[in-house]
Amino acid sequence: MRRFRISLLTLALAACAFGAQAAGPEIETLAGRARDLFDYGRWSDARQEFLRVRAALTPSDRLLAQEAEFYLAACAVELGSPDAEGALREFAERYPESVYANDVRFALGSFYCAAGNMEKAREAFGQTDYKALSAPRREQYDIRMGYVEFAGGDYRKAYDYFDRIGSRSEYVDHARYYKAYIDYAEGRYGRAKQAFTTLLRSDAYRDVVPYYLLQIEFREGNYRYVVENGEALARRAVPERRAELERVMAESWFRLEDFNKTLEHLAAFRKSGGEMDRDASYLEGFSLYRTARYAEAAEWLRKACGAEDALT
């Protein structure tokens, strides 16, 4: 499952008005442009502007200097800079009473989340005062904490975080995808199918969604849907996923009693790296038997035998 990266939203500027008292109008205009660039997600341009702000400050511009330092650290997070963590921790040490202290903890959590260090992300987010965040940043906190819990295997907590994301949010597709996956993994196929179908319109997820829809239709016994839609998916799938698709199509053709097609897809399953377990060996052996290839069938049916269970 691929990892996705979520950008920081607009940061709280509680000290902005006070910093402007010390700074001149020209420097405040420059700082305002830098903030706007940051808000629009133009991290590199924002960083350059905040570097200009910092270079133009006088010793009396203490609050604006603090703001610039914070934004430079936040830009480092967004740009994936290797010194982002150090910049945030240095800021926290230099300005322990800063109005940005909560934002720093949040930014650290975001950095660790993007870096895949979920334990540290959980720790930093746990130290963040959720209620002190602005509404947009609480939304971002929820999507990231949802991902942290999802990666840790706690689907219930993850679902609760993703469920907080509103239908008008820029993160709605991400939240919908992970909720749909959790529903799918826990057997709530109707709800999962509804969400995955909606995601067919998503630029981020339209390519992966048909795979899950095919699996759901298979589990619901809609074998004709599987054989009619599986071929196109298998052709463009990576080997591991292709093996799964070929296995599903093989069993679907088996259920539809086309045993030559079953054998064809089982061969493709093995070619893609799939391992023949007892169930697959039974499908192979029975299909060979039904196509009058008895000697080959006997060999595969022996492999399907094991403990004294229903299959044996």
Side-chain angles (χ1 to χ4, degrees):
M1 178 172 298
R2 58 190 176 184
R3 187 182 301 163
F4 68 86
R5 192 170 180 277
I6 310 165
S7 298
L8 285 172
L9 294 178
T10 306
L11 301 169
L13 301 176
C16 171
F18 297 101
Q21 292 176 5
E26 184 177 343
I27 193 65
E28 179 54 38
T29 298
L30 183 61
R33 183 163 64 247
R35 294 180 206 118
D36 289 342
L37 289 168
F38 187 93
D39 292 347
Y40 283 113
R42 294 173 57 182
W43 320 120
S44 182
D45 292 336
R47 178 179 179 277
Q48 293 303 317
E49 291 298 289
F50 276 116
L51 286 172
R52 291 178 63 193
V53 169
R54 188 173 66 178
L57 291 172
T58 66
S60 62
D61 299 326
R62 293 187 301 275
L63 292 177
L64 192 54
Q66 187 181 127
E67 178 187 337
E69 291 295 336
F70 172 73
Y71 269 101
L72 286 169
C75 286
V77 172
E78 296 299 345
L79 292 168
S81 174
D83 63 350
E85 180 184 10
L88 288 168
R89 292 199 175 279
E90 181 182 351
F91 181 92
E93 291 173 4
R94 288 179 61 189
Y95 308 107
E97 303 300 324
S98 171
V99 294
Y100 296 106
N102 198 52
D103 295 308
V104 167
R105 291 188 289 270
F106 176 79
L108 275 170
S110 301
F111 169 79
Y112 291 130
C113 184
N117 191 334
M118 297 308 167
E119 285 307 310
K120 283 194 172 184
R122 185 193 305 278
E123 179 183 353
F125 284 139
Q127 295 171 354
T128 301
D129 183 352
Y130 180 83
K131 293 182 179 179
L133 298 173
S134 65
R137 300 192 67 216
R138 286 197 298 270
E139 183 178 74
Q140 191 174 39
Y141 178 100
D142 290 333
I143 196 74
R144 290 178 173 176
M145 270 305 298
Y147 185 65
V148 169
E149 297 294 359
F150 179 89
D154 194 330
Y155 286 177
R156 182 185 63 79
K157 287 184 179 179
Y159 202 101
D160 287 344
Y161 280 115
F162 291 132
D163 210 31
R164 296 178 184 177
I165 303 301
S167 61
R168 296 181 181 275
S169 168
E170 64 180 296
Y171 301 119
V172 64
D173 282 353
H174 299 305
R176 184 174 287 136
Y177 170 80
Y178 282 98
K179 287 197 298 180
Y181 180 89
I182 292 169
D183 284 329
Y184 164 78
E186 296 184 343
R188 296 183 291 272
Y189 298 131
R191 194 157 71 181
K193 181 160 62 174
Q194 183 179 8
F196 280 133
T197 301
T198 301
L199 286 167
L200 286 171
R201 300 191 296 269
S202 168
D203 291 338
Y205 296 104
R206 67 161 60 99
D207 290 338
V208 71
V209 159
Y211 167 79
Y212 292 107
L213 289 173
L214 191 85
Q215 294 282 2
I216 290 170
E217 296 293 348
F218 173 74
R219 283 163 172 74
E220 292 184 335
N222 191 352
Y223 303 119
R224 182 59 60 184
Y225 176 96
V226 173
V227 300
E228 289 176 353
N229 293 275
E231 294 280 2
L233 288 178
R235 280 195 298 270
R236 63 175 185 262
V238 297
E240 181 180 357
R241 180 150 288 178
R242 175 159 191 171
E244 296 176 16
L245 290 166
E246 294 291 357
R247 174 66 175 78
V248 166
M249 283 191 289
E251 185 164 345
S252 295
W253 281 118
F254 184 88
R255 300 288 184 181
L256 294 170
E257 298 188 354
D258 189 326
F259 301 109
N260 284 314
K261 284 286 189 180
T262 301
L263 293 169
E264 176 186 325
H265 286 285
L266 284 171
F269 169 67
R270 292 192 294 274
K271 185 177 180 180
S272 298
E275 296 184 7
M276 298 288 285
D277 58 12
R278 290 179 62 204
D279 288 332
S281 295
Y282 174 74
L283 296 180
E284 181 86 12
F286 189 84
S287 297
L288 288 166
Y289 169 78
R290 290 296 299 270
T291 53
R293 296 155 66 179
Y294 302 121
E296 294 175 78
E299 186 65 27
W300 283 104
L301 289 171
R302 289 191 190 97
K303 294 178 181 180
C305 292
E308 291 297 324
D309 57 12
L311 180 58
T312 297

